[in-house]
Amino acid sequence: CRDWGRNVVAATNAGHFDMVLTADRTEQGGGPSTAHSAWARGFASYLTAWRAAGTKVLVLRATPAPGPRSVPAANCVARHGYDYTACAGDRSDWVRPDPLADAAHSLGGKGIDVVDLTDWFCAFRCPAVIGGVLVYRDGLHLTATFARTLASALEPYVQQELPKDPPAHK
């Protein structure tokens, strides 16, 4: 993973990108741990390298996830028909610690921002279906349809990070 991460940082810093949008899903239960701290330190090194190169970074906080319990239509939602509450979970269980977002927050300052869309998924409970759209295709991944519904929520953050007068590309 470290080699891959270093290659990504080198490629994005050499590519003259206007912004890097990054996210990660590290499956950790409970609160901060030694592993969480190690992940956060590793992520901080990448974020610092991007900032040092003048690359703006937008970190998308990990989305809530039911984890190993599968929530796709073929399973829970299909078994319970229109009783979507049977497939919901508590926010405290589905919104897990995110070492990437924590690293970005700890670095703070110019050039690194965090977008947290968890409120678009959960209030006190995290449903498996929102607005008639199935949220999860499995225990970790969003459906493409639900991901598209988040575009309008993410767009203002992306627009804020992009240059107002982009340079003409040759």
Side-chain angles (χ1 to χ4, degrees), residues 46-170:
Y46 298 132
L47 296 170
T48 300
W50 277 318
R51 180 163 53 192
T55 304
K56 289 184 178 185
V57 181
L58 191 57
V59 172
L60 182 58
R61 193 212 184 285
T63 58
R69 190 182 97 182
S70 190
V71 183
N75 294 342
C76 185
V77 173
R79 281 194 312 271
H80 293 94
Y82 289 103
D83 179 14
Y84 301 141
T85 60
C87 302
D90 290 335
R91 181 183 177 103
S92 61
D93 293 332
W94 287 26
V95 177
R96 295 186 178 91
D98 182 347
L100 175 58
D102 291 346
H105 283 301
S106 73
L107 292 171
K110 189 172 169 101
I112 301 173
D113 290 305
V114 178
V115 176
D116 184 346
L117 299 179
T118 55
D119 287 346
W120 286 78
F121 291 79
C122 312
F124 297 103
R125 302 273 298 157
C126 302
V129 176
I130 297 174
V133 176
L134 186 67
V135 178
Y136 303 97
R137 74 175 167 88
D138 60 22
L140 295 175
H141 300 94
L142 302 178
T143 63
T145 303
F146 187 74
R148 281 190 292 275
T149 70
L150 295 173
S152 62
L154 184 57
E155 183 180 18
Y157 297 99
V158 172
Q159 291 299 327
Q160 177 181 317
E161 296 301 322
L162 293 175
K164 303 303 177 226
D165 296 314
H169 294 283
K170 295 180 184 182

Side-chain angles (χ1 to χ4, degrees), residues 1-10 24-26 38-39 42-43 45-46 50:
C1 287
R2 285 188 299 229
D3 288 342
W4 183 85
R6 287 184 196 115
N7 290 337
V8 167
V9 169
D24 186 66
R25 162 83 56 216
T26 51
W39 278 99
F43 287 133
S45 69
Y46 298 132
W50 277 318

